[in-house]
């Protein structure tokens, strides 16, 4: 259920009024009551920001689930099974699981930012892992082309 700002504000105000009424009955100074109100208000606003952020993330996750339907491969094993080139397969088979997850999510069309959010990683980490894999593939292809060239001579 979505976070309802108005409802939560109303609940907070009611709670605060009841608390302040009791504090006044107990003889607490008005200045201290107001200071306590300010501190509680800051806590309430911080909690509200957190709830709103959480709400946005849940909506993002729902849209991600809807987008996942027409995927190339359902999981990493299926992704590896669909690799036709034996050398690339061997390279990917020796790659760490997290990098393979990033590769899989990339094949599904997710951006680096989205992958970072899904996996709970820093965005730069996702880009670094993708670039390292890309460089490994480039080196593999470079070695292959050199090997073909030298054997042709």
């Amino acid at each position: 259920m979505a976070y309802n700002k108005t409802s939560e504000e109303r609940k907070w105000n009611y709670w605060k009024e009841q608390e302040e009424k009791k504090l006044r009955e107990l003889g607490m100074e008005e200045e201290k009551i107001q200071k306590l109100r300010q501190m509680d208000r800051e806590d309430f606003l911080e909690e509200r920001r957190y709830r709103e952020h959480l709400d946005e993330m849940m909506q993002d996750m729902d849209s991600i689930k809807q987008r996942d339907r027409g995927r190339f491969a359902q999981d990493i094993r299926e992704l590896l099974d669909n690799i036709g080139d034996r050398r690339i397969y061997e390279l990917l088979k020796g790659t760490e699981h997290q990098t393979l997850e990033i590769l899989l999510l990339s094949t599904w069309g997710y951006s680096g930012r989205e992958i970072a959010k899904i996996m709970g990683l820093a965005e730069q980490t996702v880009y670094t892992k993708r670039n390292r894999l890309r460089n490994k593939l480039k080196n593999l292809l470079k070695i292959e082309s050199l090997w073909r060239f030298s054997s042709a001579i």
Side-chain angles (χ1 to χ4, degrees), residues 110-149:
Y110 291 109
S111 69
R113 176 173 285 148
E114 291 169 324
I115 292 171
K117 193 180 264 187
I118 291 168
M119 294 183 68
L121 299 171
E123 190 175 344
Q124 189 57 47
T125 302
V126 172
Y127 292 123
T128 299
K129 288 184 179 286
R130 279 197 324 199
N131 285 333
R132 285 181 182 159
L133 180 59
R134 188 176 295 130
N135 289 335
K136 284 180 184 179
L137 288 168
K138 282 180 185 179
N139 288 337
L140 178 71
L141 296 173
K142 193 182 297 183
I143 290 169
E144 179 186 314
S145 65
L146 286 172
W147 181 80
R148 284 185 186 167
F149 178 74

mmCIF file of all heavy atoms in Angstrom, residues 110-149:
data_model
loop_
_atom_site.group_PDB
_atom_site.id
_atom_site.type_symbol
_atom_site.label_atom_id
_atom_site.label_comp_id
_atom_site.label_asym_id
_atom_site.label_seq_id
_atom_site.Cartn_x
_atom_site.Cartn_y
_atom_site.Cartn_z
ATOM 1 N N TYR A 110 18.495 -3.963 -19.158
ATOM 2 C CA TYR A 110 18.615 -3.030 -18.042
ATOM 3 C C TYR A 110 19.845 -2.156 -18.204
ATOM 4 O O TYR A 110 20.879 -2.598 -18.697
ATOM 5 C CB TYR A 110 18.719 -3.776 -16.709
ATOM 6 C CG TYR A 110 17.437 -4.459 -16.322
ATOM 7 C CD1 TYR A 110 17.335 -5.837 -16.357
ATOM 8 C CD2 TYR A 110 16.325 -3.734 -15.933
ATOM 9 C CE1 TYR A 110 16.162 -6.477 -16.013
ATOM 10 C CE2 TYR A 110 15.147 -4.356 -15.592
ATOM 11 C CZ TYR A 110 15.072 -5.729 -15.628
ATOM 12 O OH TYR A 110 13.904 -6.343 -15.286
ATOM 13 N N SER A 111 19.720 -0.924 -17.765
ATOM 14 C CA SER A 111 20.851 0.000 -17.785
ATOM 15 C C SER A 111 21.747 -0.287 -16.587
ATOM 16 O O SER A 111 21.359 -1.007 -15.658
ATOM 17 C CB SER A 111 20.339 1.443 -17.704
ATOM 18 O OG SER A 111 19.792 1.693 -16.416
ATOM 19 N N GLY A 112 22.938 0.304 -16.590
ATOM 20 C CA GLY A 112 23.854 0.142 -15.468
ATOM 21 C C GLY A 112 23.246 0.620 -14.161
ATOM 22 O O GLY A 112 23.406 -0.009 -13.118
ATOM 23 N N ARG A 113 22.533 1.711 -14.219
ATOM 24 C CA ARG A 113 21.891 2.264 -13.016
ATOM 25 C C ARG A 113 20.835 1.300 -12.480
ATOM 26 O O ARG A 113 20.749 1.044 -11.278
ATOM 27 C CB ARG A 113 21.259 3.614 -13.333
ATOM 28 C CG ARG A 113 20.500 4.195 -12.141
ATOM 29 C CD ARG A 113 20.011 5.583 -12.392
ATOM 30 N NE ARG A 113 21.181 6.453 -12.292
ATOM 31 C CZ ARG A 113 21.338 7.561 -12.976
ATOM 32 N NH1 ARG A 113 20.422 7.964 -13.807
ATOM 33 N NH2 ARG A 113 22.428 8.292 -12.843
ATOM 34 N N GLU A 114 20.030 0.735 -13.386
ATOM 35 C CA GLU A 114 18.982 -0.197 -12.967
ATOM 36 C C GLU A 114 19.594 -1.481 -12.380
ATOM 37 O O GLU A 114 19.110 -1.996 -11.376
ATOM 38 C CB GLU A 114 18.078 -0.550 -14.145
ATOM 39 C CG GLU A 114 17.220 0.612 -14.611
ATOM 40 C CD GLU A 114 16.521 0.349 -15.935
ATOM 41 O OE1 GLU A 114 17.118 -0.319 -16.802
ATOM 42 O OE2 GLU A 114 15.389 0.822 -16.103
ATOM 43 N N ILE A 115 20.651 -1.963 -13.017
ATOM 44 C CA ILE A 115 21.315 -3.170 -12.522
ATOM 45 C C ILE A 115 21.875 -2.914 -11.125
ATOM 46 O O ILE A 115 21.749 -3.760 -10.230
ATOM 47 C CB ILE A 115 22.431 -3.615 -13.495
ATOM 48 C CG1 ILE A 115 21.814 -4.104 -14.817
ATOM 49 C CG2 ILE A 115 23.294 -4.715 -12.874
ATOM 50 C CD1 ILE A 115 22.820 -4.349 -15.918
ATOM 51 N N ALA A 116 22.481 -1.762 -10.929
ATOM 52 C CA ALA A 116 23.031 -1.423 -9.610
ATOM 53 C C ALA A 116 21.930 -1.423 -8.557
ATOM 54 O O ALA A 116 22.107 -1.949 -7.452
ATOM 55 C CB ALA A 116 23.720 -0.061 -9.668
ATOM 56 N N LYS A 117 20.782 -0.866 -8.892
ATOM 57 C CA LYS A 117 19.665 -0.803 -7.957
ATOM 58 C C LYS A 117 19.150 -2.207 -7.643
ATOM 59 O O LYS A 117 18.909 -2.544 -6.489
ATOM 60 C CB LYS A 117 18.543 0.041 -8.565
ATOM 61 C CG LYS A 117 17.475 0.449 -7.593
ATOM 62 C CD LYS A 117 16.411 1.277 -8.250
ATOM 63 C CE LYS A 117 16.681 2.732 -8.067
ATOM 64 N NZ LYS A 117 15.570 3.584 -8.545
ATOM 65 N N ILE A 118 19.008 -3.040 -8.671
ATOM 66 C CA ILE A 118 18.505 -4.407 -8.484
ATOM 67 C C ILE A 118 19.450 -5.223 -7.623
ATOM 68 O O ILE A 118 19.030 -5.947 -6.717
ATOM 69 C CB ILE A 118 18.312 -5.108 -9.852
ATOM 70 C CG1 ILE A 118 17.162 -4.463 -10.620
ATOM 71 C CG2 ILE A 118 18.051 -6.599 -9.674
ATOM 72 C CD1 ILE A 118 17.082 -4.879 -12.084
ATOM 73 N N MET A 119 20.742 -5.120 -7.899
ATOM 74 C CA MET A 119 21.731 -5.960 -7.217
ATOM 75 C C MET A 119 22.257 -5.351 -5.925
ATOM 76 O O MET A 119 23.003 -5.996 -5.187
ATOM 77 C CB MET A 119 22.900 -6.255 -8.164
ATOM 78 C CG MET A 119 22.491 -7.112 -9.351
ATOM 79 S SD MET A 119 23.869 -7.527 -10.425
ATOM 80 C CE MET A 119 24.816 -8.607 -9.358
ATOM 81 N N GLY A 120 21.912 -4.107 -5.664
ATOM 82 C CA GLY A 120 22.387 -3.458 -4.441
ATOM 83 C C GLY A 120 23.863 -3.116 -4.494
ATOM 84 O O GLY A 120 24.554 -3.170 -3.488
ATOM 85 N N LEU A 121 24.336 -2.777 -5.691
ATOM 86 C CA LEU A 121 25.745 -2.420 -5.876
ATOM 87 C C LEU A 121 25.860 -0.943 -6.206
ATOM 88 O O LEU A 121 24.884 -0.302 -6.609
ATOM 89 C CB LEU A 121 26.344 -3.217 -7.049
ATOM 90 C CG LEU A 121 26.363 -4.730 -6.941
ATOM 91 C CD1 LEU A 121 26.784 -5.344 -8.270
ATOM 92 C CD2 LEU A 121 27.310 -5.159 -5.844
ATOM 93 N N ALA A 122 27.064 -0.428 -6.103
ATOM 94 C CA ALA A 122 27.328 0.926 -6.573
ATOM 95 C C ALA A 122 27.275 0.898 -8.106
ATOM 96 O O ALA A 122 27.698 -0.085 -8.732
ATOM 97 C CB ALA A 122 28.697 1.395 -6.104
ATOM 98 N N GLU A 123 26.748 1.935 -8.692
ATOM 99 C CA GLU A 123 26.627 1.996 -10.150
ATOM 100 C C GLU A 123 27.989 1.834 -10.818
ATOM 101 O O GLU A 123 28.124 1.135 -11.823
ATOM 102 C CB GLU A 123 25.984 3.325 -10.548
ATOM 103 C CG GLU A 123 25.590 3.409 -11.983
ATOM 104 C CD GLU A 123 24.844 4.694 -12.306
ATOM 105 O OE1 GLU A 123 24.368 5.392 -11.381
ATOM 106 O OE2 GLU A 123 24.748 5.016 -13.502
ATOM 107 N N GLN A 124 29.015 2.445 -10.249
ATOM 108 C CA GLN A 124 30.355 2.359 -10.827
ATOM 109 C C GLN A 124 30.873 0.918 -10.806
ATOM 110 O O GLN A 124 31.569 0.492 -11.728
ATOM 111 C CB GLN A 124 31.320 3.280 -10.070
ATOM 112 C CG GLN A 124 32.667 3.413 -10.735
ATOM 113 C CD GLN A 124 32.569 3.924 -12.173
ATOM 114 O OE1 GLN A 124 31.867 4.882 -12.460
ATOM 115 N NE2 GLN A 124 33.257 3.274 -13.084
ATOM 116 N N THR A 125 30.504 0.156 -9.794
ATOM 117 C CA THR A 125 30.911 -1.249 -9.725
ATOM 118 C C THR A 125 30.358 -2.027 -10.901
ATOM 119 O O THR A 125 31.052 -2.845 -11.507
ATOM 120 C CB THR A 125 30.430 -1.880 -8.396
ATOM 121 O OG1 THR A 125 30.963 -1.136 -7.315
ATOM 122 C CG2 THR A 125 30.842 -3.331 -8.286
ATOM 123 N N VAL A 126 29.102 -1.766 -11.243
ATOM 124 C CA VAL A 126 28.480 -2.443 -12.384
ATOM 125 C C VAL A 126 29.232 -2.109 -13.661
ATOM 126 O O VAL A 126 29.585 -3.003 -14.446
ATOM 127 C CB VAL A 126 26.984 -2.047 -12.507
ATOM 128 C CG1 VAL A 126 26.392 -2.587 -13.802
ATOM 129 C CG2 VAL A 126 26.212 -2.546 -11.301
ATOM 130 N N TYR A 127 29.529 -0.827 -13.873
ATOM 131 C CA TYR A 127 30.246 -0.420 -15.084
ATOM 132 C C TYR A 127 31.650 -1.029 -15.124
ATOM 133 O O TYR A 127 32.111 -1.464 -16.181
ATOM 134 C CB TYR A 127 30.323 1.100 -15.191
ATOM 135 C CG TYR A 127 28.983 1.740 -15.450
ATOM 136 C CD1 TYR A 127 28.472 2.694 -14.594
ATOM 137 C CD2 TYR A 127 28.218 1.377 -16.553
ATOM 138 C CE1 TYR A 127 27.236 3.274 -14.822
ATOM 139 C CE2 TYR A 127 26.989 1.952 -16.791
ATOM 140 C CZ TYR A 127 26.501 2.901 -15.924
ATOM 141 O OH TYR A 127 25.276 3.466 -16.172
ATOM 142 N N THR A 128 32.314 -1.063 -13.984
ATOM 143 C CA THR A 128 33.666 -1.622 -13.924
ATOM 144 C C THR A 128 33.649 -3.106 -14.282
ATOM 145 O O THR A 128 34.456 -3.567 -15.091
ATOM 146 C CB THR A 128 34.275 -1.423 -12.519
ATOM 147 O OG1 THR A 128 34.342 -0.022 -12.242
ATOM 148 C CG2 THR A 128 35.659 -2.027 -12.421
ATOM 149 N N LYS A 129 32.718 -3.849 -13.703
ATOM 150 C CA LYS A 129 32.640 -5.290 -13.978
ATOM 151 C C LYS A 129 32.294 -5.551 -15.442
ATOM 152 O O LYS A 129 32.842 -6.461 -16.059
ATOM 153 C CB LYS A 129 31.651 -5.960 -13.037
ATOM 154 C CG LYS A 129 32.167 -6.048 -11.613
ATOM 155 C CD LYS A 129 31.223 -6.800 -10.719
ATOM 156 C CE LYS A 129 31.758 -6.894 -9.318
ATOM 157 N NZ LYS A 129 32.841 -7.838 -9.171
ATOM 158 N N ARG A 130 31.403 -4.749 -16.004
ATOM 159 C CA ARG A 130 31.052 -4.926 -17.420
ATOM 160 C C ARG A 130 32.248 -4.613 -18.314
ATOM 161 O O ARG A 130 32.519 -5.327 -19.280
ATOM 162 C CB ARG A 130 29.864 -4.031 -17.801
ATOM 163 C CG ARG A 130 28.556 -4.611 -17.418
ATOM 164 C CD ARG A 130 27.357 -4.028 -18.086
ATOM 165 N NE ARG A 130 27.373 -2.614 -18.363
ATOM 166 C CZ ARG A 130 26.291 -1.894 -18.605
ATOM 167 N NH1 ARG A 130 25.116 -2.445 -18.582
ATOM 168 N NH2 ARG A 130 26.388 -0.619 -18.862
ATOM 169 N N ASN A 131 32.965 -3.547 -17.991
ATOM 170 C CA ASN A 131 34.133 -3.185 -18.798
ATOM 171 C C ASN A 131 35.240 -4.226 -18.702
ATOM 172 O O ASN A 131 35.903 -4.518 -19.701
ATOM 173 C CB ASN A 131 34.670 -1.804 -18.397
ATOM 174 C CG ASN A 131 33.796 -0.688 -18.916
ATOM 175 O OD1 ASN A 131 33.121 -0.841 -19.933
ATOM 176 N ND2 ASN A 131 33.780 0.428 -18.219
ATOM 177 N N ARG A 132 35.443 -4.790 -17.521
ATOM 178 C CA ARG A 132 36.459 -5.829 -17.378
ATOM 179 C C ARG A 132 36.096 -7.055 -18.216
ATOM 180 O O ARG A 132 36.964 -7.643 -18.864
ATOM 181 C CB ARG A 132 36.629 -6.221 -15.917
ATOM 182 C CG ARG A 132 37.383 -5.177 -15.126
ATOM 183 C CD ARG A 132 37.570 -5.593 -13.692
ATOM 184 N NE ARG A 132 38.260 -4.538 -12.962
ATOM 185 C CZ ARG A 132 38.226 -4.401 -11.645
ATOM 186 N NH1 ARG A 132 37.541 -5.267 -10.909
ATOM 187 N NH2 ARG A 132 38.871 -3.426 -11.060
ATOM 188 N N LEU A 133 34.835 -7.428 -18.211
ATOM 189 C CA LEU A 133 34.397 -8.562 -19.035
ATOM 190 C C LEU A 133 34.551 -8.235 -20.513
ATOM 191 O O LEU A 133 35.029 -9.054 -21.297
ATOM 192 C CB LEU A 133 32.947 -8.933 -18.710
ATOM 193 C CG LEU A 133 32.369 -10.100 -19.494
ATOM 194 C CD1 LEU A 133 33.183 -11.369 -19.268
ATOM 195 C CD2 LEU A 133 30.908 -10.322 -19.125
ATOM 196 N N ARG A 134 34.184 -7.033 -20.885
ATOM 197 C CA ARG A 134 34.327 -6.596 -22.283
ATOM 198 C C ARG A 134 35.795 -6.662 -22.718
ATOM 199 O O ARG A 134 36.111 -7.132 -23.811
ATOM 200 C CB ARG A 134 33.789 -5.173 -22.438
ATOM 201 C CG ARG A 134 33.719 -4.690 -23.863
ATOM 202 C CD ARG A 134 33.084 -3.312 -23.958
ATOM 203 N NE ARG A 134 31.695 -3.368 -23.530
ATOM 204 C CZ ARG A 134 31.151 -2.536 -22.640
ATOM 205 N NH1 ARG A 134 31.867 -1.586 -22.079
ATOM 206 N NH2 ARG A 134 29.875 -2.645 -22.319
ATOM 207 N N ASN A 135 36.705 -6.220 -21.847
ATOM 208 C CA ASN A 135 38.141 -6.266 -22.167
ATOM 209 C C ASN A 135 38.640 -7.698 -22.294
ATOM 210 O O ASN A 135 39.463 -7.997 -23.163
ATOM 211 C CB ASN A 135 38.954 -5.497 -21.126
ATOM 212 C CG ASN A 135 38.746 -3.997 -21.237
ATOM 213 O OD1 ASN A 135 38.400 -3.491 -22.308
ATOM 214 N ND2 ASN A 135 38.925 -3.288 -20.143
ATOM 215 N N LYS A 136 38.139 -8.593 -21.430
ATOM 216 C CA LYS A 136 38.522 -10.005 -21.547
ATOM 217 C C LYS A 136 38.077 -10.568 -22.898
ATOM 218 O O LYS A 136 38.823 -11.301 -23.544
ATOM 219 C CB LYS A 136 37.880 -10.830 -20.428
ATOM 220 C CG LYS A 136 38.526 -10.671 -19.085
ATOM 221 C CD LYS A 136 37.802 -11.551 -18.067
ATOM 222 C CE LYS A 136 38.345 -11.362 -16.678
ATOM 223 N NZ LYS A 136 37.630 -12.206 -15.691
ATOM 224 N N LEU A 137 36.881 -10.214 -23.316
ATOM 225 C CA LEU A 137 36.379 -10.690 -24.613
ATOM 226 C C LEU A 137 37.192 -10.103 -25.765
ATOM 227 O O LEU A 137 37.525 -10.817 -26.720
ATOM 228 C CB LEU A 137 34.894 -10.343 -24.774
ATOM 229 C CG LEU A 137 33.935 -11.157 -23.909
ATOM 230 C CD1 LEU A 137 32.544 -10.543 -23.932
ATOM 231 C CD2 LEU A 137 33.891 -12.604 -24.359
ATOM 232 N N LYS A 138 37.537 -8.833 -25.656
ATOM 233 C CA LYS A 138 38.362 -8.204 -26.700
ATOM 234 C C LYS A 138 39.714 -8.883 -26.787
ATOM 235 O O LYS A 138 40.211 -9.151 -27.880
ATOM 236 C CB LYS A 138 38.545 -6.712 -26.416
ATOM 237 C CG LYS A 138 37.367 -5.857 -26.759
ATOM 238 C CD LYS A 138 37.668 -4.394 -26.436
ATOM 239 C CE LYS A 138 36.474 -3.524 -26.654
ATOM 240 N NZ LYS A 138 36.758 -2.113 -26.315
ATOM 241 N N ASN A 139 40.331 -9.147 -25.636
ATOM 242 C CA ASN A 139 41.628 -9.822 -25.622
ATOM 243 C C ASN A 139 41.529 -11.221 -26.211
ATOM 244 O O ASN A 139 42.421 -11.646 -26.946
ATOM 245 C CB ASN A 139 42.197 -9.887 -24.205
ATOM 246 C CG ASN A 139 42.660 -8.540 -23.713
ATOM 247 O OD1 ASN A 139 42.969 -7.646 -24.505
ATOM 248 N ND2 ASN A 139 42.700 -8.377 -22.403
ATOM 249 N N LEU A 140 40.454 -11.917 -25.911
ATOM 250 C CA LEU A 140 40.249 -13.245 -26.472
ATOM 251 C C LEU A 140 40.167 -13.178 -27.993
ATOM 252 O O LEU A 140 40.807 -13.958 -28.695
ATOM 253 C CB LEU A 140 38.965 -13.867 -25.909
ATOM 254 C CG LEU A 140 38.586 -15.239 -26.448
ATOM 255 C CD1 LEU A 140 39.556 -16.290 -25.924
ATOM 256 C CD2 LEU A 140 37.170 -15.581 -26.057
ATOM 257 N N LEU A 141 39.425 -12.214 -28.500
ATOM 258 C CA LEU A 141 39.282 -12.060 -29.952
ATOM 259 C C LEU A 141 40.596 -11.599 -30.589
ATOM 260 O O LEU A 141 40.936 -12.010 -31.690
ATOM 261 C CB LEU A 141 38.145 -11.103 -30.277
ATOM 262 C CG LEU A 141 36.759 -11.575 -29.838
ATOM 263 C CD1 LEU A 141 35.723 -10.487 -30.062
ATOM 264 C CD2 LEU A 141 36.368 -12.857 -30.556
ATOM 265 N N LYS A 142 41.332 -10.748 -29.881
ATOM 266 C CA LYS A 142 42.617 -10.267 -30.391
ATOM 267 C C LYS A 142 43.607 -11.428 -30.492
ATOM 268 O O LYS A 142 44.302 -11.585 -31.497
ATOM 269 C CB LYS A 142 43.173 -9.181 -29.465
ATOM 270 C CG LYS A 142 44.319 -8.400 -30.057
ATOM 271 C CD LYS A 142 44.867 -7.375 -29.067
ATOM 272 C CE LYS A 142 43.836 -6.341 -28.724
ATOM 273 N NZ LYS A 142 44.352 -5.291 -27.814
ATOM 274 N N ILE A 143 43.664 -12.261 -29.462
ATOM 275 C CA ILE A 143 44.558 -13.424 -29.474
ATOM 276 C C ILE A 143 44.167 -14.371 -30.603
ATOM 277 O O ILE A 143 45.022 -14.886 -31.311
ATOM 278 C CB ILE A 143 44.514 -14.149 -28.104
ATOM 279 C CG1 ILE A 143 45.185 -13.291 -27.050
ATOM 280 C CG2 ILE A 143 45.159 -15.530 -28.177
ATOM 281 C CD1 ILE A 143 44.971 -13.775 -25.630
ATOM 282 N N GLU A 144 42.880 -14.558 -30.803
ATOM 283 C CA GLU A 144 42.410 -15.440 -31.876
ATOM 284 C C GLU A 144 42.812 -14.899 -33.246
ATOM 285 O O GLU A 144 43.284 -15.644 -34.105
ATOM 286 C CB GLU A 144 40.892 -15.596 -31.812
ATOM 287 C CG GLU A 144 40.341 -16.474 -32.907
ATOM 288 C CD GLU A 144 38.827 -16.492 -32.901
ATOM 289 O OE1 GLU A 144 38.246 -16.639 -31.817
ATOM 290 O OE2 GLU A 144 38.254 -16.357 -33.991
ATOM 291 N N SER A 145 42.646 -13.590 -33.448
ATOM 292 C CA SER A 145 43.004 -13.027 -34.762
ATOM 293 C C SER A 145 44.516 -13.090 -34.986
ATOM 294 O O SER A 145 44.965 -13.334 -36.101
ATOM 295 C CB SER A 145 42.486 -11.597 -34.909
ATOM 296 O OG SER A 145 43.113 -10.745 -33.989
ATOM 297 N N LEU A 146 45.323 -12.906 -33.944
ATOM 298 C CA LEU A 146 46.775 -13.045 -34.076
ATOM 299 C C LEU A 146 47.155 -14.484 -34.401
ATOM 300 O O LEU A 146 48.026 -14.747 -35.210
ATOM 301 C CB LEU A 146 47.498 -12.596 -32.797
ATOM 302 C CG LEU A 146 47.556 -11.092 -32.530
ATOM 303 C CD1 LEU A 146 48.128 -10.825 -31.139
ATOM 304 C CD2 LEU A 146 48.366 -10.394 -33.592
ATOM 305 N N TRP A 147 46.474 -15.422 -33.768
ATOM 306 C CA TRP A 147 46.748 -16.828 -34.010
ATOM 307 C C TRP A 147 46.417 -17.190 -35.463
ATOM 308 O O TRP A 147 47.176 -17.861 -36.134
ATOM 309 C CB TRP A 147 45.932 -17.685 -33.043
ATOM 310 C CG TRP A 147 46.175 -19.147 -33.223
ATOM 311 C CD1 TRP A 147 47.230 -19.864 -32.747
ATOM 312 C CD2 TRP A 147 45.357 -20.057 -33.944
ATOM 313 N NE1 TRP A 147 47.130 -21.167 -33.118
ATOM 314 C CE2 TRP A 147 45.970 -21.322 -33.857
ATOM 315 C CE3 TRP A 147 44.174 -19.933 -34.649
ATOM 316 C CZ2 TRP A 147 45.451 -22.456 -34.457
ATOM 317 C CZ3 TRP A 147 43.632 -21.057 -35.234
ATOM 318 C CH2 TRP A 147 44.267 -22.300 -35.139
ATOM 319 N N ARG A 148 45.284 -16.693 -35.969
ATOM 320 C CA ARG A 148 44.904 -16.949 -37.360
ATOM 321 C C ARG A 148 45.926 -16.341 -38.326
ATOM 322 O O ARG A 148 46.297 -16.938 -39.324
ATOM 323 C CB ARG A 148 43.516 -16.376 -37.657
ATOM 324 C CG ARG A 148 42.408 -17.198 -37.104
ATOM 325 C CD ARG A 148 41.092 -16.630 -37.545
ATOM 326 N NE ARG A 148 39.994 -17.352 -36.884
ATOM 327 C CZ ARG A 148 38.769 -16.934 -36.872
ATOM 328 N NH1 ARG A 148 38.441 -15.798 -37.491
ATOM 329 N NH2 ARG A 148 37.843 -17.622 -36.289
ATOM 330 N N PHE A 149 46.354 -15.117 -38.000
ATOM 331 C CA PHE A 149 47.305 -14.417 -38.845
ATOM 332 C C PHE A 149 48.638 -15.177 -38.905
ATOM 333 O O PHE A 149 49.212 -15.398 -39.965
ATOM 334 C CB PHE A 149 47.522 -12.989 -38.350
ATOM 335 C CG PHE A 149 48.533 -12.213 -39.151
ATOM 336 C CD1 PHE A 149 48.218 -11.744 -40.423
ATOM 337 C CD2 PHE A 149 49.810 -11.979 -38.652
ATOM 338 C CE1 PHE A 149 49.137 -11.030 -41.159
ATOM 339 C CE2 PHE A 149 50.738 -11.269 -39.401
ATOM 340 C CZ PHE A 149 50.402 -10.795 -40.660
#
